[in-house]
Amino acid sequence: MSKTLIKNIKTLYLTESEPLNKVAGKDMATLPLIENAYLAIENGIIVDFGQMTDLHGITDWNELTVMDIEGQSILPAWCDSHTHLVFARTRESEFRDRIKGLSYEEIAKKGGGILNSAVRLNEASEDELYNSALQRIHEIAQTGTGAVEIKSGYGLTVAGELKMLRVIRRLKESTPLTIKATFLGAHAFPKEYRNNHDGYIKLIINEMLPAVAAENLADYIDVFCEKGYFSLKQTDALLNAGAQYGLKPKIHVNQFTNSGGVQKGIEHGAITVDHLEEMGDAEIEALLKSDTLPVSLPSCSFFLNLPYTPVRKMIDSGLAIALATDYNPGSTPSGNIPFLLSLACIKQRLLPEEAINAVTRNGAAAMEIQDTHGSIAVGKKANLIITKNIDDVAVLPYSFGSNNIDQTLINGEVY
Ligand code: NIG
Ligand code: FE
C-alpha cells in the first residue's frame, strides 16, 4: 500500500466536502480553498486534507512518504475534455498559407485540412501513431493535464478510424492519465465520397459504428455539424445510430456558422456542445433549459483568428462553462492549458477563478468523471498540480508563456 502526506501546502485550491456536479454562473468565480494545508493520499486516492494545525493522527503511518512543499500550492490537475491528439503529422505548411491570407475553409477546399491529415493517418502504422501521441500525452501531463478526451476522425475509413481508436485504447492502458475516447467518423467527407455524401453516412452507420461498438472502442460519438461538413439532418441520423450502441453525443457545433447545432445536440441529450464561436441568445436560452454543458475552445479561436465564444455573457446568464484545448494539427496545435487560461482571461474576460473552474470541475463534468476528478475531495483521484512558489493563483494566467507548474501528480505519483 502506498501512502503519501503532502505538508505545508501554501494554498490547497478547489477543496470540496460535498463534490458538485458542475459549477455554474456566479459560483464559477469562487475557488474554495484552504491555506497552510496538508493532503493525504493512499493508493492514488485522496483520503484526507485540512489545515496543518489539524494534522494529527496521520503521523503514525508506517512507510509514509512525506513531501514538504513549503511555499508551493496545489490545484487539481486539469481535465481537458476535447482533443484530437492522435494524428500522423503536423500541418505547418497550412500555417504559412494562412499567414499569406488563405482561410481555414479555403485550405480545406484545396484538399488540405482534415483530408490532408486523413491521407497521412492512413499511411501511418499503429505504432507510429501511438508513439507520437504518447509524446503529446507526456507534454500535456507536464503542463498539468491529468485527464483527457481524445477523438478519432482523421481515419475516415473503417480501417483508419479503428486504428485511431485502438491507439487511444493503448494510451488508456499504458499511461496513468484518465482517457475518454470519442468516435468522430463524421469529421469530414473523404475525397472518394465527395459526390456521394449519403454513401459515407451509410458507411459510418452500417460499418464503422458496429465495428467500433464490437471492440468497445468509444465512450462518445461526435459529429462536425457545420455548413460544408455535416448537416443537421445528417447529424440527426448519425446521433440516432450512435444511440443504438449507447454512445452519447459530444459534438462540434457553431464553429463558423450558427447552424442550429446547439439545439440539435440538446435534443439528443448531448453531454457537451463544443466550439460555439457563433452563438445567439436563443442558443443560450436553450442551454439554460438543458443539462448539456457548453465547451469553449479559446486556443482554436486564437490560432485561426476566429471570434471567441462569448463565455462572459454565457456565465453571466447563469450557464456552466467548460474550457478545453482542442489540441489538433489543423486548428490548435497546442494542448497547453496554462496558455488557454491566459486566453480565457485576456480574450474572454473570465476571472482566473472562472477559467480554472472551467478546466477542472467543469472539464471533469464534460467527460462525466466529476465523481473522481476535477477537485480536491476525499475519494477522488490524487491527480494534482504542484505550483512553483506563487502568491496568487491569478499568476498562472497572468504570466502567460511562463511555466509556473513544478510537478504534476497522477494517481498520487509524480509524472
Ligand atoms: O475542432 N472543426 C473540426 N475539427 C477540428 C479541426 C480539425 C483539423 O483541422 O484538423 C477542430 O477545430
Ligand atoms: Fe475539435
Side-chain angles (χ1 to χ4, degrees):
M1 195 185 316
S2 86
K3 302 174 188 169
T4 305
L5 172 67
I6 309 179
K7 58 181 206 173
N8 294 320
I9 305 166
K10 182 177 164 60
T11 310
L12 179 61
Y13 289 100
L14 267 167
T15 50
E16 292 185 313
S17 44
E18 296 232 345
L20 296 172
N21 262 341
K22 57 188 172 191
V23 50
K26 283 195 180 64
D27 293 342
M28 284 193 71
T30 306
L31 293 181
L33 56 84
I34 299 176
E35 270 163 10
N36 194 18
Y38 72 89
L39 177 84
I41 302 167
E42 229 173 271
N43 292 331
I45 302 291
I46 298 169
V47 291
D48 192 16
F49 61 88
Q51 265 168 343
M52 278 304 289
T53 45
D54 294 331
L55 175 58
H56 316 294
I58 295 176
T59 40
D60 58 20
W61 283 5
N62 294 317
E63 294 168 46
L64 176 68
T65 307
V66 179
M67 291 171 77
D68 185 341
I69 64 161
E70 177 103 52
Q72 298 177 277
S73 292
I74 287 187
L75 292 146
W78 318 129
C79 298
D80 188 354
S81 67
H82 181 141
T83 81
H84 312 243
L85 68 69
V86 173
F87 56 85
R89 292 258 193 101
T90 50
R91 304 210 307 254
E92 57 280 356
S93 70
E94 294 177 13
F95 181 57
R96 285 187 204 280
D97 288 343
R98 280 198 307 105
I99 294 166
K100 290 182 194 152
L102 288 188
S103 70
Y104 181 80
E105 286 102 322
E106 284 163 341
I107 290 165
K109 278 204 189 102
K110 285 201 332 182
I114 296 167
L115 295 188
N116 176 2
S117 283
V119 172
R120 303 291 180 212
L121 188 122
N122 282 289
E123 290 165 356
S125 71
E126 195 181 303
D127 282 344
E128 283 164 352
L129 291 172
Y130 170 78
N131 288 325
S132 63
L134 188 60
Q135 290 311 310
R136 292 178 203 117
I137 292 277
H138 291 328
E139 175 197 327
I140 64 171
Q142 251 119 41
T143 49
T145 300
V148 61
E149 180 256 21
I150 312 173
K151 300 170 193 296
S152 70
Y154 290 127
L156 310 181
T157 57
V158 177
E161 288 296 305
L162 289 174
K163 182 165 62 178
M164 282 190 84
L165 289 165
R166 289 186 190 125
V167 167
I168 300 171
R169 184 173 57 194
R170 268 174 78 182
L171 294 169
K172 276 192 197 193
E173 289 166 355
S174 62
T175 75
L177 277 79
T178 300
I179 297 179
K180 291 280 184 176
T182 300
F183 169 58
L184 175 56
H187 199 191
F189 286 100
K191 242 200 252 120
E192 310 76 68
Y193 288 89
R194 196 171 30 203
N195 299 314
N196 178 17
H197 285 187
D198 285 352
Y200 188 57
I201 303 288
K202 282 195 188 119
L203 183 76
I204 296 176
I205 294 177
N206 298 334
E207 295 188 42
M208 290 184 189
L209 267 171
V212 168
E215 289 184 48
N216 202 8
L217 288 171
D219 302 299
Y220 299 106
I221 182 166
D222 192 349
V223 175
F224 187 14
C225 177
E226 182 62 56
K227 202 163 145 237
Y229 292 85
F230 293 81
S231 69
L232 284 182
K233 207 169 145 227
Q234 290 162 339
T235 301
D236 231 359
L238 291 162
L239 297 186
N240 283 334
Q244 305 280 310
Y245 299 98
L247 298 178
K248 294 187 221 167
K250 276 171 69 66
I251 59 175
H252 284 73
V253 295
N254 291 29
Q255 182 175 7
F256 304 118
T257 53
N258 187 347
S259 60
V262 170
Q263 288 83 348
K264 183 55 67 193
I266 292 170
E267 187 186 315
H268 284 270
I271 301 303
T272 65
V273 283
D274 302 31
H275 270 291
L276 313 172
E277 286 83 346
E278 299 299 329
M279 283 287 279
D281 290 343
E283 282 64 40
I284 295 180
E285 283 307 311
L287 284 166
L288 278 168
K289 288 191 204 118
S290 79
D291 289 329
T292 298
L293 184 58
V295 179
S296 169
L297 312 165
S299 314
C300 174
S301 296
F302 171 76
F303 190 72
L304 293 185
N305 268 322
L306 292 178
Y308 287 79
T309 307
V311 287
R312 177 72 274 145
K313 183 173 173 188
M314 292 162 78
I315 294 174
D316 291 343
S317 309
L319 282 171
I321 297 288
L323 295 168
T325 63
D326 201 16
Y327 194 178
N328 76 76
S331 72
T332 323
S334 164
N336 188 310
I337 295 239
F339 178 63
L340 172 153
L341 294 176
S342 300
L343 290 176
C345 294
I346 297 160
K347 298 290 190 182
Q348 298 181 294
R349 291 183 44 235
L350 294 198
L351 291 168
E353 291 77 6
E354 292 173 319
I356 288 169
N357 268 314
V359 292
T360 52
R361 297 200 268 194
N362 289 353
M367 295 185 267
E368 298 183 289
I369 54 171
Q370 67 275 17
D371 292 344
T372 44
H373 296 71
S375 70
I376 306 296
V378 169
K380 285 202 179 187
K381 268 185 190 280
N383 284 7
L384 310 169
I385 289 169
I386 303 181
T387 69
K388 295 188 177 160
N389 285 29
I390 53 173
D391 283 334
D392 182 331
V393 78
V395 170
L396 289 178
Y398 159 86
S399 58
F400 71 93
S402 297
N403 175 22
N404 283 297
I405 293 178
D406 185 32
Q407 335 192 42
T408 309
L409 267 56
I410 302 199
N411 300 326
E413 308 277 337
V414 177
Y415 190 88

